[in-house]
Each structure stands twice: as structure tokens, then as C-alpha cells.
Amino acid sequence: AALSLIDRQGLLRASSSRFPVEPVDLSTQDHIAYLNRPVNAYQKTAQLGSPYTPKKSTQAILPLARHIFSVSGQAIGQVQAEINLSYFQDFYERVAKDLGAKISLYDKDGALIVQAMTLQNTFKAEADEAVVASVKNSFGEQGRCESTLIGADKATSYSYLKMKDFPLVVVLGRDLDTILLEWQKRLEQRLLFAALSIIFTLLLAVLLYKKVHHLKLSREKLTDSERRYR
């Protein structure tokens, strides 16, 4: 990842990835052009750009920019984060493998950025499209919802999460059988723990009863002995 500074004219002025930096005109890039519109001069949230691959690199980059404001509140340029898409890909592949799930990262317009899954035949493309459509039609800037879409052979639960202050949406798909299996395992563990607790309590009750009964017999014997020697 790298950080870049862009002036009000859309010219690249500094970058943490290269030095020295020649002024490069970035004003034609869609996210910079959007931020430079007068109507968006006071936008405080980040604006996502389209992924691209630099000339001297083989790794795709996801640009994310937001305004820099002066003390008086005027936009004086933008700071841009340039994130390697391989970071998201590697992270989501690990999560998808651990959960047996499919994870997709979309922009706010529903364009796919990265995707990772364990079993491709479990997750249907039309299900993704339906979930993305529901995300675009939702009114909240952030939130969660769940929907279950029936595929050809398995039921899959899809949920999405909008990232606050960032135009990104994460969609998580999981096989319902896997979710129910985990729930069943947790239920079995809790039932086993409850059964062990009940057995332990009963054993304590039995031991306590035997102890009290033994003390009672000892007391009766002691009382009988005292009567004999009176």
C-alpha cells in the first residue's frame, strides 16, 4: 500500500511509493473527478476509484481518496491510499477457507472487486446478483441483512455489510448445512456440559446425604453410649 498527495488541480505532488515524483495529471480519474466537482467540495467520506495495474508492476491497485481540508474547512486537495488487491484476496481466501464460505468485495455500485470461495458449485452467481441488488436498494449507509436463496441442490445464506465511511460492501455466503452443523455441535456441547453439571450435582448430593447419614448414626451411637454409662 502507498499514500499519495494530490492538489486541487488533480496533479500528483507526493507519493510514499516513489521519489522523486513528477507531477502526474490524475484529474481524469473517475474518483478524483468526482471529488473535484463543486457539489462534492465538502464531502468527508472516501471515494473509491477503479482498480488498475501500474505500468511497472504486475499487482492490481485499488485507489481510495478523500479530501484534505484547511483550517477554514476548504478542500485543498486529496490524500489517496493505493491498496494492493492481493491484500484483500489473500485475507478473504483465508477467511473463506476457515468458514467454508464465499466472500465478495463490491463497490457501492455493485461492481465486483475481489472474490474468494471454497466450493464454487455451492454458490450461485444469480444469488450474488440478488444480494447486490438488495444492497443497492437499501436506504441505510451501513447495516446488515440476511436472505436465503435456494440453489440447484443446496440452500445458501447470504448476508452483506456496508463499511462505514467507505464505499465498499462485503457479501458473505455460507451453506446452511454448515451453519446448522456448527449450531448442532454447539448445542451438543452445551447439552453435554449441562448433563455433566447435573451428574456432578447429583454426586455431591449423594455424598452429602451419606455424610449427614453417617453423622446421624454416629450421634445416635454416642447417645446410646452415654445412656449406658449413666
Side-chain angles (χ1 to χ4, degrees), residues 41-224:
Y42 297 99
Q43 177 176 319
K44 295 184 179 181
T45 56
Q47 186 67 25
L48 188 69
S50 301
Y52 69 94
T53 302
K55 295 181 179 179
K56 297 182 180 180
S57 176
T58 58
Q59 294 188 350
I61 299 296
L62 179 68
L64 191 66
R66 67 184 306 168
H67 281 307
I68 301 173
F69 295 97
S70 65
V71 177
S72 60
Q74 299 295 320
I76 57 176
Q78 292 90 31
V79 59
Q80 175 173 279
E82 300 161 3
I83 308 170
N84 292 334
L85 284 183
S86 59
Y87 167 79
F88 291 106
Q89 190 70 42
D90 295 342
F91 175 74
Y92 287 148
E93 283 181 355
R94 291 196 299 270
V95 175
K97 182 179 179 180
D98 293 339
L99 295 178
K102 174 182 179 180
I103 302 179
S104 305
L105 181 67
Y106 295 88
D107 66 15
K108 64 178 182 179
D109 297 320
L112 179 65
I113 299 174
V114 294
Q115 190 173 82
M117 70 182 79
T118 50
L119 300 174
Q120 294 189 9
N121 58 349
T122 302
F123 305 100
K124 308 300 179 182
E126 60 270 19
D128 276 7
E129 295 173 0
V131 173
V132 172
S134 65
V135 173
K136 293 173 65 176
N137 294 330
S138 63
F139 296 100
E141 288 297 326
Q142 58 176 329
R144 294 182 178 90
C145 81
E146 293 185 0
S147 60
T148 301
L149 300 163
I150 306 301
D153 51 357
K154 290 185 178 181
T156 306
S157 176
Y158 286 85
S159 59
Y160 71 78
L161 171 64
K162 292 184 178 182
M163 296 185 181
K164 184 180 180 181
D165 296 331
F166 293 98
L168 297 171
V169 180
V170 179
V171 176
L172 173 67
R174 298 193 69 191
D175 179 18
L176 277 181
D177 292 340
T178 303
I179 299 174
L180 294 176
L181 181 60
E182 293 179 356
W183 176 83
Q184 183 179 359
K185 288 182 178 179
R186 290 196 298 269
L187 180 61
E188 290 176 352
Q189 290 175 353
R190 292 179 180 178
L191 289 176
L192 178 60
F193 179 77
L196 291 175
S197 300
I198 292 173
I199 293 173
F200 181 72
T201 303
L202 290 175
L203 287 174
L204 285 178
V206 171
L207 291 174
L208 181 61
Y209 172 78
K210 288 184 176 181
K211 186 67 174 177
V212 171
H213 184 66
H214 178 72
L215 291 175
K216 184 178 180 181
L217 291 177
S218 299
R219 183 177 179 180
E220 290 177 353
K221 290 180 179 180
L222 181 60
T223 303
D224 291 339

